[in-house]
Amino acid sequence: MYNGNILRDAIISGANNITNQKQSVDELNVFPVPDGDTGTNMSLSIGSAASELAYLNNETAGKVAEVTASALLRGARGNSGVITSLLFRGFAKALKGKETVDAQGLCDAMVLGVEAAYKAVMKPTEGTMLTVARLAAEAAKTAVENGLDALAVFEEIVKAADEALQQTPEMLPVLKKAGVVDAGGQGYLLILQGMLSVFKDGKMIESDNAEAKVVAPQNAAGQVESDITFTYCTEFIVNKDDGKSDPKKLRAYLETIGDCVVVVVDESIIKVHVHTNHPGKAIEKALTWGPLVNLKIENMRDQHERARHDSKGESPKKEKPQQSESNEYTSVEIEKPYGFVTVSVGDGLKELFTDLGADMIVSGGQTMNPSTQDILRAVELTPAETVFVLPNNKNIIMAAEQAIPLSTRKIIVLPTRTIPQGISAMLSFDPDASADENAIAMQKGYENVSTGQITFAARDSSYNGKKILKGELLALANGKISFGETDMIKSVCKLTKNLASKNTSFVTLIYGEEITEEQAQEAADALRERMSEDVEITVVNGGQPVYYYIISVE
């Protein structure tokens, strides 16, 4: 049986373990494209929970599980990060209101987490981290039925997860052909192994990365001042008034003015913790849910200076007034019926989406997936009643969808999987139509777009019986590897012709940061010689990394 402090340390240990080995998980990417980011996404996701847990001390296991699930939900990046957050949501459900976690609690946490994860994935694929988690949960049930204690149950969980991971290549032929296990499953196992180190030996795995190190809880005064982004640690309890709106909206607002947000709700109160530069705004907003009690505001910078002075005998240094870094997240009033949040990277693409009417651009894409919190903040800054969110990447869709229940706005996530799809969706918007009508029209608009991408092979491999050498140009047609090539212009022409049909009217070449305008125009001229005169070819400077060209074919 484990108390809240042990569970807290176990989760932090799990976060450190995957952070230490995230690169090896990234390298398990099946395809040779430079987008292996599963380990990075999972480490950043659970790292957001570990950062908040570091402020907890002597809390119940239920509180630790609640904070973990809440932080993971908001910090989730990529599909693997979202699934990780759903798996840990099981801990919050199973341990709600409990002082400690026993064998049955561990079992229930695993089972409920797996149920949540499978429900969230439209078409679950066996041989992935879902399989690893499911078989681990089944082992937990068997262990409890056999009367094992909490430690023995968790040992069985880790053992079953490891065995399931080794079987993933037999379940997914693509893994077997590549000679790797599932990356998400490997990441999940690393988290479980980090937790077991605390449960079994009382040893927390430390982070190898000093800059990203998550440590055990300490007084806020112990923080390095340069790490204190928000000055005031603000805590209070709201005695809820009947009939008030969902407290999730309070949490969403607090996220826009600070970090380390914890909002715990029961039948009569809302307990709030937030680090912010504007405690007055937090208090004013919270008052709309009811009267406040147990109000406490502490200046963490001042605490830091006093602690340093006391420990070293130094006189506190006078600092210049700090300029608030949270102004860009100040919430805005609703001014219009519709707004747009899009995800992209590259100055040219950001300018293009802005010209098309996007209110907020979230920086991200392949290899740099934004978190649910990043998307939520952008939505809250959009002065519209209904906000359309365009992820423009298949690995960002789930994170965007997780923002829906957290937002004060109505969010419609259009599951755009590529930049050209996002552009087409924006062009299909009709300001005079209803939200539902626009959702349908925008979806129809982007479904008629084919996307080509030209990048480079990150490693030697083979695909469909053909050898692909590291550094070779790699052409992707609608997300699938089409061919390898050594000549850039040939790659552009061949890929575009493969995507085009007799009904094609428009081709847009969006060139990246490593391509000059002259090179892009040369590719466009070569393409005009090979395409029908009826096809309009346009060149756009996207400035995107990773992909030399993104090609839109309509």
Side-chain angles (χ1 to χ4, degrees), residues 231 404 418 498:
T231 303
I404 293 174
T418 67
N498 287 351

Side-chain angles (χ1 to χ4, degrees), residues 21 72 76 167 190 208 232 245 253-254 324 331 342 348 384 410 438 451 466 476 484 539 544 548:
Q21 303 183 60
L72 256 171
Q167 290 301 309
L190 289 171
D208 293 340
Y232 300 99
S245 58
Y253 173 77
L254 295 175
S324 170
S331 72
T342 68
K410 177 183 177 181
N438 267 308
T451 300
K466 298 180 180 179
L476 288 77
V539 176
Q544 72 275 1
Y548 300 120

Side-chain angles (χ1 to χ4, degrees), residues 194-244:
M195 295 176 67
L196 179 60
S197 179
V198 172
F199 288 150
K200 185 176 182 178
D201 303 318
K203 181 180 179 181
M204 181 190 293
I205 294 175
E206 298 293 339
S207 173
D208 293 340
N209 184 350
E211 293 181 0
K213 187 174 181 180
V214 177
V215 298
Q218 58 185 3
N219 188 287
Q223 298 181 74
V224 178
E225 186 169 4
S226 61
D227 292 338
I228 302 176
T229 302
F230 298 100
T231 303
Y232 300 99
C233 176
T234 306
E235 297 180 359
F236 51 80
I237 292 175
V238 183
N239 288 324
K240 290 195 298 186
D241 286 343
D242 293 337
K244 293 297 181 182

